[in-house]
Structures are given as C-alpha cells and as structure tokens.
mmCIF file of all heavy atoms in Angstrom:
data_model
loop_
_atom_site.group_PDB
_atom_site.id
_atom_site.type_symbol
_atom_site.label_atom_id
_atom_site.label_comp_id
_atom_site.label_asym_id
_atom_site.label_seq_id
_atom_site.Cartn_x
_atom_site.Cartn_y
_atom_site.Cartn_z
ATOM 1 N N VAL A 9 86.944 99.352 -123.046
ATOM 2 C CA VAL A 9 86.019 99.665 -124.063
ATOM 3 C C VAL A 9 86.640 99.267 -125.406
ATOM 4 O O VAL A 9 85.972 98.653 -126.339
ATOM 5 C CB VAL A 9 85.651 101.146 -124.087
ATOM 6 C CG1 VAL A 9 84.827 101.528 -125.320
ATOM 7 C CG2 VAL A 9 84.828 101.450 -122.835
ATOM 8 N N ASN A 10 87.911 99.625 -125.623
ATOM 9 C CA ASN A 10 88.572 99.337 -126.923
ATOM 10 C C ASN A 10 88.697 97.765 -127.075
ATOM 11 O O ASN A 10 88.340 97.342 -128.238
ATOM 12 C CB ASN A 10 90.044 99.894 -126.911
ATOM 13 C CG ASN A 10 90.638 99.853 -128.234
ATOM 14 O OD1 ASN A 10 91.885 100.178 -128.365
ATOM 15 N ND2 ASN A 10 90.060 99.441 -129.243
ATOM 16 N N LEU A 11 88.946 97.068 -126.050
ATOM 17 C CA LEU A 11 88.989 95.622 -126.118
ATOM 18 C C LEU A 11 87.685 94.945 -126.486
ATOM 19 O O LEU A 11 87.542 94.101 -127.386
ATOM 20 C CB LEU A 11 89.619 95.013 -124.951
ATOM 21 C CG LEU A 11 91.161 95.084 -124.656
ATOM 22 C CD1 LEU A 11 91.514 94.807 -123.201
ATOM 23 C CD2 LEU A 11 91.971 94.349 -125.699
ATOM 24 N N LEU A 12 86.599 95.383 -125.783
ATOM 25 C CA LEU A 12 85.275 94.966 -125.982
ATOM 26 C C LEU A 12 84.766 95.312 -127.433
ATOM 27 O O LEU A 12 84.224 94.317 -128.022
ATOM 28 C CB LEU A 12 84.319 95.565 -124.918
ATOM 29 C CG LEU A 12 82.918 95.105 -125.121
ATOM 30 C CD1 LEU A 12 82.725 93.597 -124.827
ATOM 31 C CD2 LEU A 12 82.020 95.817 -124.029
ATOM 32 N N LEU A 13 84.859 96.418 -127.837
ATOM 33 C CA LEU A 13 84.506 96.862 -129.153
ATOM 34 C C LEU A 13 85.237 96.063 -130.282
ATOM 35 O O LEU A 13 84.695 95.657 -131.230
ATOM 36 C CB LEU A 13 84.630 98.329 -129.458
ATOM 37 C CG LEU A 13 83.624 99.247 -128.701
ATOM 38 C CD1 LEU A 13 83.900 100.732 -129.094
ATOM 39 C CD2 LEU A 13 82.260 98.889 -129.186
ATOM 40 N N GLY A 14 86.560 95.950 -129.995
ATOM 41 C CA GLY A 14 87.374 95.219 -130.928
ATOM 42 C C GLY A 14 86.919 93.743 -131.124
ATOM 43 O O GLY A 14 86.839 93.256 -132.234
ATOM 44 N N VAL A 15 86.677 93.023 -129.946
ATOM 45 C CA VAL A 15 86.173 91.756 -130.106
ATOM 46 C C VAL A 15 84.689 91.698 -130.882
ATOM 47 O O VAL A 15 84.521 90.806 -131.694
ATOM 48 C CB VAL A 15 85.997 91.118 -128.619
ATOM 49 C CG1 VAL A 15 85.264 89.682 -128.650
ATOM 50 C CG2 VAL A 15 87.415 91.033 -128.050
ATOM 51 N N VAL A 16 83.951 92.557 -130.505
ATOM 52 C CA VAL A 16 82.610 92.669 -131.158
ATOM 53 C C VAL A 16 82.758 92.893 -132.657
ATOM 54 O O VAL A 16 82.141 92.102 -133.560
ATOM 55 C CB VAL A 16 81.718 93.773 -130.592
ATOM 56 C CG1 VAL A 16 80.463 94.032 -131.469
ATOM 57 C CG2 VAL A 16 81.361 93.426 -129.095
ATOM 58 N N PHE A 17 83.619 93.752 -133.010
ATOM 59 C CA PHE A 17 83.762 93.968 -134.572
ATOM 60 C C PHE A 17 84.400 92.795 -135.153
ATOM 61 O O PHE A 17 84.117 92.550 -136.416
ATOM 62 C CB PHE A 17 84.596 95.252 -134.776
ATOM 63 C CG PHE A 17 83.793 96.556 -134.724
ATOM 64 C CD1 PHE A 17 84.274 97.593 -133.831
ATOM 65 C CD2 PHE A 17 82.701 96.729 -135.461
ATOM 66 C CE1 PHE A 17 83.454 98.801 -133.837
ATOM 67 C CE2 PHE A 17 81.948 97.911 -135.403
ATOM 68 C CZ PHE A 17 82.413 98.911 -134.632
ATOM 69 N N LEU A 18 85.311 92.126 -134.531
ATOM 70 C CA LEU A 18 85.908 90.943 -135.043
ATOM 71 C C LEU A 18 84.822 89.868 -135.328
ATOM 72 O O LEU A 18 84.924 89.013 -136.281
ATOM 73 C CB LEU A 18 86.967 90.347 -134.124
ATOM 74 C CG LEU A 18 88.309 90.959 -134.257
ATOM 75 C CD1 LEU A 18 89.306 90.375 -133.304
ATOM 76 C CD2 LEU A 18 88.952 90.857 -135.681
ATOM 77 N N GLY A 19 83.782 89.809 -134.490
ATOM 78 C CA GLY A 19 82.734 88.893 -134.561
ATOM 79 C C GLY A 19 81.704 89.144 -135.648
ATOM 80 O O GLY A 19 81.133 88.288 -136.302
ATOM 81 N N VAL A 20 81.506 90.490 -135.860
ATOM 82 C CA VAL A 20 80.294 90.890 -136.831
ATOM 83 C C VAL A 20 80.839 91.451 -138.137
ATOM 84 O O VAL A 20 80.090 91.481 -139.101
ATOM 85 C CB VAL A 20 79.475 91.954 -136.216
ATOM 86 C CG1 VAL A 20 78.827 91.391 -134.818
ATOM 87 C CG2 VAL A 20 80.174 93.184 -135.868
ATOM 88 N N GLU A 21 82.056 91.778 -138.216
ATOM 89 C CA GLU A 21 82.615 92.321 -139.457
ATOM 90 C C GLU A 21 83.570 91.358 -140.148
ATOM 91 O O GLU A 21 84.315 90.610 -139.385
ATOM 92 C CB GLU A 21 83.390 93.669 -139.301
ATOM 93 C CG GLU A 21 82.459 94.771 -138.951
ATOM 94 C CD GLU A 21 81.670 95.228 -140.143
ATOM 95 O OE1 GLU A 21 82.223 95.319 -141.247
ATOM 96 O OE2 GLU A 21 80.446 95.582 -139.875
ATOM 97 N N ASP A 22 83.607 91.312 -141.397
ATOM 98 C CA ASP A 22 84.600 90.489 -142.191
ATOM 99 C C ASP A 22 85.866 91.152 -142.316
ATOM 100 O O ASP A 22 86.184 91.637 -143.433
ATOM 101 C CB ASP A 22 83.954 90.067 -143.566
ATOM 102 C CG ASP A 22 84.854 89.149 -144.300
ATOM 103 O OD1 ASP A 22 85.668 88.469 -143.708
ATOM 104 O OD2 ASP A 22 84.739 89.106 -145.547
ATOM 105 N N LEU A 23 86.685 91.255 -141.205
ATOM 106 C CA LEU A 23 87.886 91.931 -141.290
ATOM 107 C C LEU A 23 89.010 90.910 -141.203
ATOM 108 O O LEU A 23 89.207 90.181 -140.228
ATOM 109 C CB LEU A 23 88.059 92.903 -140.055
ATOM 110 C CG LEU A 23 87.251 94.174 -140.129
ATOM 111 C CD1 LEU A 23 87.430 94.960 -138.880
ATOM 112 C CD2 LEU A 23 87.727 95.049 -141.315
ATOM 113 N N PRO A 24 89.796 90.872 -142.272
ATOM 114 C CA PRO A 24 91.001 89.867 -142.318
ATOM 115 C C PRO A 24 92.204 90.316 -141.514
ATOM 116 O O PRO A 24 93.330 90.188 -142.021
ATOM 117 C CB PRO A 24 91.261 89.741 -143.774
ATOM 118 C CG PRO A 24 90.976 91.096 -144.370
ATOM 119 C CD PRO A 24 89.749 91.608 -143.586
ATOM 120 N N VAL A 25 92.004 90.874 -140.341
ATOM 121 C CA VAL A 25 93.119 91.438 -139.589
ATOM 122 C C VAL A 25 94.008 90.308 -139.038
ATOM 123 O O VAL A 25 95.194 90.458 -139.356
ATOM 124 C CB VAL A 25 92.568 92.305 -138.406
ATOM 125 C CG1 VAL A 25 93.700 92.856 -137.578
ATOM 126 C CG2 VAL A 25 91.708 93.446 -138.889
ATOM 127 N N LEU A 26 93.354 89.346 -138.527
ATOM 128 C CA LEU A 26 94.142 88.232 -137.887
ATOM 129 C C LEU A 26 94.798 87.316 -138.885
ATOM 130 O O LEU A 26 95.635 86.400 -138.552
ATOM 131 C CB LEU A 26 93.352 87.384 -136.866
ATOM 132 C CG LEU A 26 92.731 88.364 -135.714
ATOM 133 C CD1 LEU A 26 91.918 87.439 -134.809
ATOM 134 C CD2 LEU A 26 93.869 89.009 -134.956
ATOM 135 N N GLU A 27 94.503 87.443 -140.177
ATOM 136 C CA GLU A 27 95.081 86.608 -141.226
ATOM 137 C C GLU A 27 96.375 87.169 -141.686
ATOM 138 O O GLU A 27 97.161 86.453 -142.386
ATOM 139 C CB GLU A 27 94.101 86.585 -142.464
ATOM 140 C CG GLU A 27 92.714 85.915 -142.155
ATOM 141 C CD GLU A 27 91.824 85.965 -143.294
ATOM 142 O OE1 GLU A 27 92.326 86.439 -144.406
ATOM 143 O OE2 GLU A 27 90.633 85.749 -143.100
ATOM 144 N N GLY A 28 96.761 88.352 -141.224
ATOM 145 C CA GLY A 28 98.034 88.926 -141.689
ATOM 146 C C GLY A 28 99.202 88.422 -140.950
ATOM 147 O O GLY A 28 99.188 88.178 -139.741
ATOM 148 N N ASN A 29 100.202 88.066 -141.664
ATOM 149 C CA ASN A 29 101.512 87.649 -141.155
ATOM 150 C C ASN A 29 102.414 88.864 -141.302
ATOM 151 O O ASN A 29 102.646 89.432 -142.318
ATOM 152 C CB ASN A 29 102.090 86.499 -142.020
ATOM 153 C CG ASN A 29 103.487 85.976 -141.430
ATOM 154 O OD1 ASN A 29 104.436 86.618 -141.668
ATOM 155 N ND2 ASN A 29 103.381 84.836 -140.694
ATOM 156 N N LEU A 30 103.077 89.281 -140.167
ATOM 157 C CA LEU A 30 103.860 90.487 -140.148
ATOM 158 C C LEU A 30 104.996 90.393 -141.137
ATOM 159 O O LEU A 30 105.333 91.419 -141.665
ATOM 160 C CB LEU A 30 104.407 90.738 -138.629
ATOM 161 C CG LEU A 30 103.292 91.112 -137.694
ATOM 162 C CD1 LEU A 30 103.971 91.297 -136.307
ATOM 163 C CD2 LEU A 30 102.502 92.265 -138.116
ATOM 164 N N ASP A 31 105.640 89.208 -141.253
ATOM 165 C CA ASP A 31 106.711 89.174 -142.227
ATOM 166 C C ASP A 31 106.250 89.311 -143.637
ATOM 167 O O ASP A 31 106.891 90.076 -144.486
ATOM 168 C CB ASP A 31 107.401 87.831 -142.086
ATOM 169 C CG ASP A 31 108.161 87.745 -140.792
ATOM 170 O OD1 ASP A 31 108.658 88.668 -140.210
ATOM 171 O OD2 ASP A 31 108.297 86.562 -140.183
ATOM 172 N N THR A 32 105.097 88.712 -143.963
ATOM 173 C CA THR A 32 104.515 88.978 -145.257
ATOM 174 C C THR A 32 104.150 90.314 -145.481
ATOM 175 O O THR A 32 104.351 90.877 -146.593
ATOM 176 C CB THR A 32 103.231 87.994 -145.426
ATOM 177 O OG1 THR A 32 103.617 86.648 -145.223
ATOM 178 C CG2 THR A 32 102.719 88.101 -146.826
#
C-alpha cells in the first residue's frame, strides 16, 4: 500500500523528492 500510494503521489503531485542529492 505504501509503495502504491507513493508511486501515485509522485505521479499526481509536484513533489521534488527525487531531485534531492543526499550530499547536497
């Protein structure tokens, strides 16, 4: 459920989560 909802929210929300670089 967490994985499915996470993928859905990544598709419908403008969340710059994956743009983050951990070192930065």
